Amino acid sequence: MPEDPVSSPSDAAGSYHASRDTAGALVIRFLGRLAADNASSIIRELDSLLAAERPAMLIADLGELRQIDDFGVVVLVGLKKAMGTLQGRFEIQNVEAGVSEILAMHRFVSLGQEGGAGRRRSADIFSRLGARTIAALRETGYMLQFLGDTCVSSWHVIRHPRVLRLGDTLTNMQRVGVDALPIVGLISFLLGLIMAFMSAVQLQQFGANIYVASLVSLSMTRELGPIMTAIIVAGRSGSAFAAEIGSMKISEEIDALTTMGFDPHIFLVLPRLVAAVLVVPFLTLFSDLFAIAGGLLVGITMLDLTVNNYIDQTLATLDLFDVALGFFKGAVFAALIAWTGCLRGFQVEGGAVGVGRATTSAVVSSIFLIILSDSIVVVILRYWEW
Amino acid sequence: MSNTEAKAGLETKRPMSGEPVIQVREMTAGYGSEILLRRLTFEVRRGEIFVILGGSGCGKSTLLKHLIGLNTPLAGDIVVNGRLITGHEEVLPQVLRECGVLFQGGALFGSMTLAENVALPLREYTDLPEAHIDTLVKMKLALVSLSGYENHLPSEISGGMKKRAGLARAMALNPQILFFDEPSAGLDPITSAELDQLILHLNRTLGTTMVIVTHELASIFSVADRVIMLDKRAKGIVAEGDPRHLQEHSKNPYVRRFFNREA
């Protein structure tokens, strides 16, 4: 019955033979195998064949098909779908037992009848606005609850200092403080150097070289020292806190702590919080010192100042309040960084993506909180005229 | 044991041949100076379900990692699908394309939906049109009874479902060899038995060679054609063969105790 061959490419592993039968239907005889290795080329050829022929009826003859897998089934589903869009009929003929079993296994009859794979539909703007608002309120609620938990457990630790995990606190002090010292020192030194450089260009015009020492020491001790240190600590330790606690959360370690009767706050948050609050102020002092050293280097090499001159001027500019202010800011920033890092860690949901998001968010929110609280301090001090 | 009977019915159609598809020759494996497995030699034949078993800490999972090239042996050779992979990292990508691996927890990519997870190798390694990939992904997920979960994220489904989705992804390219790391771990008995049936079914219909690391006795008796048993103290193979035969006739009392679940 098949006559008038339309096309018949040959393939070593498997192929097909297309022809028109007497009734005008397009008959495709599949030969050999129809599987993962030849499916995509056959799909392309048949697509162009169908586009050229546009038959009203398509018959897939599987009589000489020896082997088929799910890729092969997809070829047949594709034909069925294509005939659906052409509003023609599609039939399969001469299905052998082995092939029939595979078709049944993949429920060939029901395949390709629904539309394309349903994507996640995005909701309209009002639903999204509502969802975002609810999420923001929930998060605020959680933050307040977390803040409350931190306060309660801090109070508990103040009343019973022995419950604080001393070993963890010391380890964290080392990680947050000692390990950060080289990078804080280097960055502060370079910052002092740059500030001295830039201000010298202006001050030299008035012969006011000596004020480079005042400028570097005052701005570093009161403002930039604490802020730079805090930003480095946020990047190094705030992110680490969030990632550590977040990974513990997704591997159910925090649930384990709770079931064993430990308060996760006292166990995880407080050692980090206490460690950071204890060491970051000292880190800030080191930062001030290194920045002044950077300024000093510029002063003696480029501005004809002597070491004595420079140090005298620095001491005359700074009073104890400035140093204490930087020290105090260091403690405040440390509390914010540690608290935010732990909060973001506890908020982790899902898997690796959640941990990544928490880490980013920990750094970004701590830097924001650092700058915000610093501005508040500046405004208060202005008001009190210090 | 109804599973065994069901298996006997399938056995006639098993696409097994004597040709070895994985050969391990005189392989020594370990970490640093600690040797876990010493001078291991065995082979896996095409089309068989091969089970690696042994007590905890005997190096089962380590051996699996060596077979798929994640770890390099301290000495010896591993040949997969006719290609020597030890010392020839350049052939690994090609060899691994012919293999699928189901990790213990499924190892799905958390940022992608189940459909995207399964579609990833199809998009990357075939030039099927997108519409056909969608159909194929649906079929693969239907095969592991996950129809309707195409758009779920891994974090939204249970452990057993993750494992089945991981299997769908491992099978995406119809690999010649499938590796399973503890397929029954953490599954309920029904799901675990269903997974065994699926393994048998895939082996029978597609002729896929299966290498399974497990210590689940029920699962071993229902699927395994051949097992090797590793032992921590011997640092190597203490038994090899048909598990039903070993259960009754092994000369090694430890092996008999293992198969008969005795203390």
Side-chain angles (χ1 to χ4, degrees):
Chain A
M1 36 158 219
E3 51 196 44
D4 177 24
V6 183
S7 95
S8 59
S10 63
D11 186 292
S15 64
Y16 61 90
H17 183 276
S19 58
R20 289 277 185 177
D21 73 0
T22 44
L26 186 64
V27 180
I28 299 176
R29 276 193 302 134
F30 288 97
L31 316 163
R33 53 189 263 118
L34 189 56
D37 47 354
N38 60 1
S40 44
S41 59
I42 289 186
I43 285 172
R44 274 167 219 289
E45 287 167 18
L46 288 181
D47 274 353
S48 45
L49 179 68
L50 283 191
E53 296 278 327
R54 305 183 67 81
M57 176 153 184
L58 178 67
I59 298 170
D61 184 343
L62 309 184
E64 287 165 68
L65 192 61
R66 293 289 155 259
Q67 196 189 353
I68 188 171
D69 67 2
D70 43 5
F71 284 72
V73 175
V74 165
V75 174
L76 298 178
V77 174
L79 290 178
K80 185 156 98 173
K81 274 192 189 165
M83 287 313 288
T85 47
L86 288 174
Q87 296 186 327
R89 292 208 303 140
F90 175 72
E91 261 180 33
I92 49 174
Q93 281 184 355
N94 302 329
V95 188
E96 288 204 343
V99 175
S100 156
E101 196 186 347
I102 303 271
L103 291 182
M105 177 172 112
H106 293 296
R107 299 189 195 86
F108 176 71
V109 181
S110 62
L111 277 172
Q113 284 176 348
E114 67 292 279
R119 297 256 180 270
R120 283 199 170 199
R121 287 200 314 131
S122 55
D124 62 281
I125 185 165
F126 296 107
S127 323
R128 274 184 296 172
L129 185 67
R132 280 291 178 87
T133 313
I134 292 171
L137 286 176
R138 279 224 181 101
E139 198 191 311
T140 315
Y142 185 79
M143 273 172 69
L144 290 176
Q145 188 198 336
F146 194 83
L147 183 61
D149 280 346
T150 312
C151 294
V152 170
S153 41
S154 305
W155 179 238
H156 185 74
V157 167
I158 291 170
R159 285 175 52 202
H160 313 278
R162 282 164 153 249
V163 300
L164 183 69
R165 295 175 54 82
L166 202 62
D168 282 0
T169 313
L170 287 174
T171 316
N172 278 304
M173 280 170 78
Q174 183 188 346
R175 279 198 214 142
V176 177
V178 181
D179 295 352
L181 197 54
I183 186 70
V184 167
L186 180 66
I187 288 181
S188 305
F189 181 81
L190 293 175
L191 203 65
L193 204 97
I194 294 165
M195 272 175 29
F197 241 148
M198 298 313 290
S199 53
V201 176
Q202 306 297 322
L203 293 175
Q204 253 176 340
Q205 298 175 14
F206 309 102
N209 286 359
I210 189 68
Y211 288 110
V212 167
S214 307
L215 195 144
V216 170
S217 55
L218 198 62
S219 54
M220 278 309 289
T221 351
R222 285 184 72 122
E223 287 298 330
L224 290 175
I227 287 188
M228 282 314 296
T229 311
I231 288 176
I232 296 168
V233 171
R236 284 185 82 254
S237 305
S239 57
F241 292 169
E244 271 167 27
I245 296 181
S247 312
M248 290 180 76
K249 174 97 187 282
I250 55 176
S251 55
E252 296 180 320
E253 287 175 49
I254 291 180
D255 295 346
L257 281 178
T258 313
T259 53
M260 288 160 78
F262 295 109
D263 179 347
H265 251 82
I266 293 180
F267 205 96
L268 296 171
V269 180
L270 280 189
R272 291 174 169 77
L273 192 68
V274 171
V277 170
L278 287 182
V279 293
V280 174
F282 291 99
L283 214 50
T284 309
L285 292 188
F286 273 105
S287 155
D288 300 344
L289 213 60
F290 278 103
I292 291 170
L296 179 70
L297 185 69
V298 173
I300 55 175
T301 52
M302 298 182 57
L303 301 175
D304 302 327
L305 299 174
T306 63
V307 177
N308 270 345
N309 267 345
Y310 193 96
I311 290 177
D312 280 348
Q313 180 66 23
T314 301
L315 290 177
T317 313
L318 292 179
D319 56 28
L320 191 60
F321 177 77
D322 298 319
V323 180
L325 179 66
F327 194 79
F328 168 74
K329 276 185 183 176
V332 173
F333 294 162
L336 288 173
I337 294 165
W339 185 77
T340 318
C342 295
L343 168 74
R344 294 302 184 214
F346 272 92
Q347 282 176 324
V348 165
E349 263 164 26
V353 188
V355 177
R357 210 178 291 144
T359 314
T360 311
S361 163
V363 176
V364 174
S365 2
S366 355
I367 291 179
F368 169 72
L369 286 176
I370 290 163
I371 307 287
L372 182 71
S373 59
D374 192 55
S375 343
I376 294 173
V377 173
V378 168
V379 171
I380 292 175
L381 292 182
R382 192 73 290 188
Y383 185 73
W384 284 344
E385 301 198 351
W386 266 331
Chain B
M1 191 160 272
S2 61
N3 274 338
T4 329
E5 286 159 21
K7 183 179 174 296
L10 299 174
E11 215 150 48
T12 47
K13 293 174 82 176
R14 278 288 174 79
M16 243 194 292
S17 71
E19 177 201 2
V21 62
I22 299 176
Q23 288 167 289
V24 174
R25 293 188 291 241
E26 300 273 308
M27 186 201 77
T28 299
Y31 299 99
S33 59
E34 194 197 337
I35 286 176
L36 271 174
L37 301 164
R38 181 172 286 134
R39 298 167 73 86
L40 217 59
T41 301
F42 65 90
E43 59 181 40
V44 181
R45 296 171 203 139
R46 190 171 295 284
E48 76 176 341
I49 300 185
F50 184 83
V51 174
I52 300 168
L53 53 90
S56 304
C58 68
K60 301 188 294 285
S61 298
T62 308
L63 175 58
L64 187 73
K65 283 191 177 155
H66 281 82
L67 294 182
I68 53 182
L70 289 180
N71 290 3
T72 317
L74 299 175
D77 292 333
I78 300 171
V79 177
V80 179
N81 239 352
R83 271 166 297 206
L84 181 68
I85 62 168
T86 32
H88 293 82
E89 276 76 23
E90 69 282 357
V91 305
L92 260 185
Q94 189 56 41
V95 169
L96 287 179
R97 272 223 241 156
E98 294 152 8
C99 300
V101 184
L102 173 60
F103 291 94
Q104 257 191 54
L108 298 170
F109 302 120
S111 55
M112 300 182 187
T113 64
L114 299 195
E116 287 165 344
N117 262 288
V118 179
L120 182 69
L122 293 169
R123 293 210 174 104
E124 204 59 37
Y125 296 124
T126 70
D127 43 6
L128 286 178
E130 196 57 27
H132 291 78
I133 288 186
D134 277 349
T135 314
L136 196 53
V137 166
K138 279 191 169 176
M139 284 161 53
K140 300 271 182 197
L141 284 172
L143 204 58
V144 295
S145 316
L146 282 175
S147 291
Y149 290 95
E150 284 85 357
N151 291 322
H152 281 61
L153 287 170
S155 53
E156 298 166 343
I157 59 173
S158 74
M161 289 159 86
K162 276 184 204 166
K163 209 161 243 189
R164 284 181 303 180
L167 179 57
R169 189 182 66 186
M171 299 187 317
L173 296 169
N174 290 348
Q176 298 174 27
I177 313 169
L178 265 174
F179 294 93
F180 296 78
D181 192 7
E182 308 260 358
S184 334
L187 296 186
D188 67 82
I190 298 174
T191 316
S192 170
E194 280 171 0
L195 191 62
D196 288 347
Q197 289 305 312
L198 188 60
I199 289 172
L200 280 172
H201 184 77
L202 292 172
N203 174 256
R204 184 167 59 93
T205 52
L206 301 175
T208 315
T209 310
M210 312 268 180
V211 177
I212 305 175
V213 165
T214 186
H215 46 226
E216 203 74 24
L217 278 179
S219 172
I220 293 166
F221 286 123
S222 63
V223 301
D225 291 318
R226 219 154 53 84
V227 303
I228 55 169
M229 185 166 169
L230 304 178
D231 181 51
K232 202 172 176 178
R233 263 164 295 170
K235 294 189 195 293
I237 301 174
V238 286
E240 181 169 0
D242 184 320
R244 286 155 288 267
H245 180 82
L246 291 176
Q247 181 183 27
E248 306 285 326
H249 303 106
S250 173
K251 291 191 180 76
N252 187 332
Y254 173 71
V255 175
R256 282 202 310 276
R257 262 169 55 212
F258 187 98
F259 280 112
N260 292 304
R261 210 162 174 275
E262 291 163 1

